[in-house]
Amino acid sequence: MPVRRLEPSRVLGIERFSDFGEFRANEVLGLGTSTPLRPREFSLSRAILPLRDGLFVLQRSFARLYEAEIGTDKGVGLVIPLTFHSIANGRDVDSSTIAVMRGKTPVRAIEHHPNTYLMLRFNSDMRHRGWADFDPRLAYVRAPSETLARGRRPLHLAIGA
């Protein structure tokens, strides 16, 4: 279901912005500066679900230049793309790329089109839960296209921002 169709409830918060002047960033994985590439086409919707030890946010963003120090002071953050394409720190990031972060790292991204993605923050470092251990920074998990279609090969972890 598209984010724009979700309705708020006791548990699920919904935020919609149709004017950049009213927009406020979400702190799930750090605050940053967003500059709309096409201000007249600005629109953002997000659904926010608080978890016991974290936060889950489904967001449909706008075409923008995004500069931030992303990540978490404590725990692990994930960005899971649904429909997504950007150039982040000179790297092509698309719908087949999951970003995993521990600690904080600077990011400069250009999103030429609106993107839809999930952001998750876990307030635990997840080490005792079987998660891969890596240095505090941003890592990308990306599967080849045929892997996504067939689901036969394991994902490979590529470290680096």
Side-chain angles (χ1 to χ4, degrees):
M1 174 178 288
V3 182
R4 69 180 179 273
R5 289 190 181 166
L6 293 174
E7 294 297 326
S9 71
R10 285 181 331 137
V11 184
L12 184 67
I14 303 292
E15 296 177 343
R16 293 184 176 96
F17 302 95
S18 57
D19 182 287
F20 185 71
E22 299 170 0
F23 168 72
R24 60 185 172 75
N26 190 299
E27 303 179 39
V28 179
L29 299 174
L31 291 173
T33 304
S34 291
T35 305
L37 298 181
R38 293 180 291 283
R40 292 177 190 221
E41 298 174 19
F42 177 85
S43 175
L44 182 132
S45 299
R46 70 171 68 114
I48 304 164
L49 179 65
L51 304 171
R52 180 176 173 198
D53 288 319
L55 191 62
F56 171 98
V57 175
L58 174 61
Q59 180 166 287
R60 171 87 173 155
S61 69
F62 50 97
R64 64 186 173 165
L65 169 63
Y66 179 66
E67 297 177 286
E69 185 172 83
I70 64 169
T72 63
D73 289 324
K74 176 185 174 192
V76 173
L78 296 171
V79 177
I80 302 167
L82 299 175
T83 56
F84 192 89
H85 184 262
S86 76
I87 307 298
N89 293 351
R91 180 186 176 135
D92 193 40
V93 179
D94 63 21
S95 295
S96 67
T97 309
I98 296 173
V100 181
M101 59 208 75
R102 186 178 281 142
K104 299 234 179 192
T105 191
V107 169
R108 183 176 193 276
I110 299 172
E111 300 176 26
H112 290 284
H113 306 284
N115 287 317
T116 302
Y117 47 93
L118 300 171
M119 294 180 287
L120 295 135
R121 185 184 68 224
F122 299 102
N123 295 333
S124 162
D125 67 9
M126 306 300 277
R127 290 176 196 212
H128 61 286
R129 295 186 176 144
W131 281 64
D133 195 18
F134 61 91
D135 294 333
R137 61 180 166 178
L138 176 62
Y140 293 104
V141 178
R142 183 178 205 153
S145 297
E146 70 270 7
T147 301
L148 292 176
R150 288 184 251 155
R152 293 184 184 173
R153 294 185 198 137
L155 295 174
H156 300 282
L157 186 64
I159 304 294

